[in-house]
Amino acid sequence: MEVRNCKMCGRLFNVLNNERICPACQKKLEDKFHEVKQYLEDHPGASVEQTATDNDISTKQIRQWVKEERLILSSATEAGIVCEKCGKPIRTGRFCDKCKESMANEFQNVYQKPEPKMEDLHSTRDRDRMRYLKNE
């Protein structure tokens, strides 16, 4: 089992799934997330900077929650979150809907097996047949 220092508090903790922060700090961060989420429900037009200031949290953490699709911004241009593929302003996640659809189609096309041609079927069928030798 691996042991690391917590990135937030500096304490040692046992790493199970490649975590960067200890369980106590994870709990605090999760509580802070619920606090920010409640704040945004109460103040739907609040900016990222105002939310960060009022809740004593970094704008970087709020943007991380937006990229993880845990929070949705009220307007796409407010926080400067842009699609990582085309650069279009988005409200949540890493990619806009158009790019997500495009990537899904590309992945689907990669995994589709091509249908065998009739010529290929005949050649494999003839090759796999049992042969008899004539004794003369």
Side-chain angles (χ1 to χ4, degrees), residues 25-116:
C25 289
Q26 283 179 349
K27 171 96 171 84
K28 288 178 189 175
L29 195 59
E30 193 63 25
D31 291 342
K32 190 58 84 170
F33 167 76
H34 290 295
E35 184 181 319
V36 168
K37 186 175 178 182
Q38 184 61 45
Y39 178 85
L40 289 174
E41 287 175 5
D42 296 340
H43 306 89
S47 68
V48 173
E49 290 77 17
Q50 184 64 38
T51 304
T53 302
D54 291 349
N55 290 287
D56 192 34
I57 195 160
S58 69
T59 57
K60 183 178 178 181
Q61 183 60 57
I62 293 174
R63 284 187 172 93
Q64 181 63 36
W65 286 331
V66 170
K67 284 188 174 190
E68 292 172 356
E69 297 185 359
R70 295 183 75 188
L71 291 176
I72 299 174
L73 299 174
S74 58
S75 68
T77 59
E78 174 182 316
I81 305 290
V82 294
C83 174
E84 292 181 9
K85 189 171 182 183
C86 71
K88 177 182 169 186
I90 54 177
R91 295 176 53 211
T92 190
R94 296 175 52 204
F95 303 103
C96 67
D97 292 335
K98 185 178 177 182
C99 290
K100 282 182 189 177
E101 186 177 324
S102 170
M103 287 187 290
N105 288 338
E106 289 173 12
F107 288 135
Q108 185 177 10
N109 290 340
V110 167
Y111 285 110
Q112 284 181 344
K113 293 182 180 177
E115 292 185 27

